[in-house]
Amino acid sequence: MRLIQADVSWQELYWAPRSQLDLSATYQFRPGVSLVGQVSNVTRSPITSVTGPGKILLKDEYSIPATFWFGVRFTPKFR
C-alpha cells in the first residue's frame, strides 16, 4: 500500500495481485565453464495499481516486457 494522503482512505493505493513466470537454464560444456540463459516475465504480466473503496478503481498499469540474459560462467578450482 502507498498513501497519497494519510487522512483520505479512498486515495490509498494498492498493487493488484500479479503472477510472473521466470525461466533459467544452465549447460555445462566443460568442467568449470557453463552457458547460462535466463528469461524474466515470460508471460509479460503488467504491474497494476488500484485505489478507491474496495480497491476497484484503476490508478495505472505498466507493461513489463520479457527480459533475456545470456552469459558464460567460469568457475575456477583453487587448490
Side-chain angles (χ1 to χ4, degrees):
M1 176 179 68
R2 298 181 290 166
L3 293 177
I4 299 295
Q5 190 171 340
D7 60 340
V8 182
S9 63
W10 60 268
Q11 288 189 350
E12 293 174 352
L13 294 176
Y14 298 88
W15 297 118
R18 71 185 286 265
S19 59
Q20 174 176 315
L21 176 64
D22 300 333
L23 301 173
S24 176
T26 303
Y27 176 75
Q28 181 178 4
F29 67 95
R30 299 178 86 187
V33 181
S34 302
L35 295 175
V36 180
Q38 296 178 334
V39 183
S40 176
N41 200 18
V42 172
T43 56
R44 297 186 176 139
S45 178
I47 294 177
T48 304
S49 62
V50 293
T51 189
K55 307 172 195 171
I56 60 170
L57 302 174
L58 176 65
K59 166 67 171 81
D60 47 29
E61 185 172 270
Y62 302 99
S63 61
I64 307 295
T67 306
F68 301 86
W69 292 278
F70 297 99
V72 176
R73 178 185 303 142
F74 175 66
T75 309
K77 282 191 173 183
F78 296 107
R79 296 178 190 216

